[in-house]
Amino acid sequence: MPTTEHPAASSPAATCVNSQRNKPGDIHYWSRTLIPTSKQTPSDAESASHKLLVRAGYVRRVGAGIYSYLPLAWRVLNNLSAIIREEMHTAGAAEMLMPALEPIELMDKTGRADDYGDNLFRLTDRHGRELALAPTHEEIITELMAASVSSYKQLPITLFQIQTKFRDEFRPRSALLRGREFIMKDAYSFHLTLEDAGGLNQTYDAMHRAYTNTFTRCGLDFSVVEAEAGPIGGSASHEFMVNCESGEDTILKCPATGYAANVEKCETGPRAHDLSGDPTGDLDKIHTPDLPTIEEVGKFLKVKPNRMLKTLVFRIAAEDKNATPEFALAVVRGDHDVNEGKLRTAVGKPIRMADDDEARTAGFTIGYVSPRAVLITAQSSLCKTRLLIDPDAAQPGFWAAGADEKDHHVKHFNWRRELGDSLDDPNLAAVADIRNAVAGDPSPRDPNAQLVAARGIEVGHIFKLGCKYSDAMGFQILDQSQQLQSVIMGCYGIGVSRTMQACIEMSHDENGIIWPAAIAPYHIHIIPMKVEPDSAAMQTAETLAADLSAAGLDVLLDDRNERPGVKFNDADLVGVPLRITIGDKALAENSVEFKRRTDPGKGDLIPLSQIVNHCLQG
């Protein structure tokens, strides 16, 4: 499936009007809602969006990673949810609601209780039963379907919910972007086939379109990138990323073909390697005590990280628990990071980072391992070891490496001298792409192009789960041949609260938020200069608010007895797309001042007789 970028919707106002979010005649007064704007920046705020969410009165912190959604935020979240629901229904999904509490034994069946580790909220009820606050609902939905579906005639089916989820983040940050409690839309589809009508691929494509439509309608500037599945599991997956320079995730793109992927998934084009070359000097062992990082070792040795070899020890999964332990040594340059997904592909079996104790028992000197450890461990019967070398590390020239001895490293490591003919044994050593891609790498889609880096915030993720959960939970049904078959699943998530904040990170200026009209809390912000009930400005404001509301626009009327400067600053801060100012001078000309949030300076005078149509046009 191609990956593409999507510009923000150029004119979402019409979509908002058509949705008829407002009841005709409704007028929303500032004084009758809660909008606690502030000039003070919260001390724990790191990102611009975090600062603005708090300063503009959208959220308030309750505890670490826990926030109350105030009225403005709740309106935005409802607008987002309405668009999501429409697109989910169009894609053929039915809405439901599952519990937040989940018996831990359900997650034990799939192994996710261990996979999530400390990120999983666990609690015990009064009867001693262990529960979890669900981060996602694969187990609950699979158990439900296993109890409700017994025949292929009941498939395919797709179910979704919008609900609060939980993740016990060790260090919550950036408000809703990395919180412990968050609102999410998650959908799950069930199939008997991949390719046929009603198969997983058909629904996956429909969800891809639904997500593209959703984020386009929301007015977001976003990219679709290939991604790793992570703790959810499964095979193919795509992320939907809001493009912004301050985003927390790195995206790598091919400018020639449009290929895009996150760093965990991104491929690289062919990279040349050469394990020959003469030694640059005699192997020089150096005492390097109390230097826990590769950067500190490099400074001590006066060697740059890109001329150091970093060797990490991974445990290869075994089907037979009594079999001899197998390990993989992954070697990358000191300035690169091992990519576990790519390493898993190169090994051909599931892997995990080896525990220090089991690695030491097998003969590895953790913290000081060199590629030569593959020969050292091969001389014992304690384990079997394979050596995987990234092409950038498989080069001639000067190298520093571990010495396979505590508190020691070596200079002038030479591949052929240190490992000899073992480099030619495919069962023992291989060169493979096993590191995270970086900007400047050759594109995997065009030999003449290089990857470029961009930043983004993940707001949606779709997965082809396959049979991971159905197999783990015994969900099989009879097919057309009356044979039992495991059900194939897909999973599709949108971070609703995360999307709200990502939109602010994407769209703001020094004065405040700039909302796309489709998800803004209000379409129009009316500011009368005089708010006394008998003033012409206030009477005109209320009449105009009722007319705009009847036309399907959401209106906020600022009826506070505040100075104009305070009202204008608050208007910019909360970010409503259109502002109408009503003062005596404009009314004398039977007009009002109209200003878009994105326009600099003062607004334009628009005749009262034309202002409703003018607002409808955005």
Side-chain angles (χ1 to χ4, degrees), residues 383-411:
C383 68
K384 297 178 181 178
T385 309
R386 291 192 62 197
L387 180 65
L388 284 303
I389 313 164
D390 186 76
D392 288 356
Q395 300 293 338
F398 173 89
W399 290 109
D404 298 301
E405 179 182 338
K406 182 176 171 54
D407 292 337
H408 287 80
H409 285 78
V410 297
K411 285 184 174 182

Side-chain angles (χ1 to χ4, degrees), residues 186-199:
D186 50 329
Y188 306 91
S189 64
F190 301 86
H191 317 265
L192 265 191
T193 64
L194 284 174
E195 300 290 348
D196 299 336

Side-chain angles (χ1 to χ4, degrees), residues 423-440:
L423 292 173
D424 304 319
D425 183 350
N427 295 316
L428 197 64
V431 177
D433 175 15
I434 60 168
R435 68 159 171 84
N436 286 342
V438 295

Side-chain angles (χ1 to χ4, degrees), residues 88 91-96 141 145 154-160 185-191 203-204 207 490 492:
M88 286 297 100
E95 187 170 8
M96 64 174 299
I141 192 71
M145 292 295 290
Q154 295 170 271
L155 300 182
I157 191 169
T158 304
L159 302 170
F160 80 97
K185 187 283 301 179
D186 50 329
Y188 306 91
S189 64
F190 301 86
H191 317 265
T203 296
Y204 191 88
M207 285 293 171
Y492 320 92

Side-chain angles (χ1 to χ4, degrees), residues 12 42 46 49 62 79 83 96 113 132 142 212 228 262 272 288 295 362 365 446 462 478 486 491 558 580-581 601:
E46 301 172 359
S49 55
V62 177
N79 295 336
I83 292 173
M96 64 174 299
T142 305
T212 299
E228 279 289 318
N262 64 22
T288 54
E295 289 78 13
T365 310
D446 187 329
I462 59 177
L478 294 173
S486 294
C491 171
D558 191 344
I580 295 173
T581 304

